[in-house]
Amino acid sequence: MSLTPPHIAERLQIAILTSEQMRLHWEDPDSGMHYYERVLPVALESSGDGDLLRCRLLDEDREIQVPVARIRNLPTPVK
């Protein structure tokens, strides 16, 4: 079951489908370190602990998984 709000999941899926580069800020759950990186979202995956955004770090050319709940600058709904 997805824990990500539908508007966030939809926004991330659009970024994945259109190969949109994003600049995301997140906190590593293990070390507590914060990262602000240019990424290319690849897939939104579900896990037992919550959804993960699999993405490619563009400056390092490697793939990582970021817990969606740890991303600090996710888009918010606009009315």
Side-chain angles (χ1 to χ4, degrees):
M1 177 167 76
S2 173
L3 301 174
T4 303
H7 69 280
I8 299 291
E10 180 180 24
R11 176 65 180 88
L12 292 174
Q13 288 294 350
I14 289 168
I16 291 164
L17 292 171
T18 61
S19 298
E20 176 186 349
Q21 294 182 16
M22 304 178 94
R23 201 171 275 281
L24 294 181
H25 170 216
W26 71 92
E27 177 187 359
D28 183 282
D30 298 324
S31 69
M33 291 196 52
H34 287 254
Y35 297 91
Y36 186 67
E37 300 282 343
R38 278 186 331 121
V39 301
L40 180 65
V42 176
L44 186 60
E45 303 169 341
S46 294
S47 75
D49 296 332
D51 293 338
L52 299 170
L53 180 63
R54 188 164 40 97
C55 51
R56 177 162 295 285
L57 291 175
L58 295 173
D59 294 334
E60 297 179 27
D61 196 32
R62 67 182 175 102
E63 210 167 271
I64 62 167
Q65 289 183 321
V66 177
V68 173
R70 298 287 186 154
I71 299 173
R72 301 293 177 228
N73 63 339
L74 284 173
T76 55
V78 177
K79 292 188 179 198

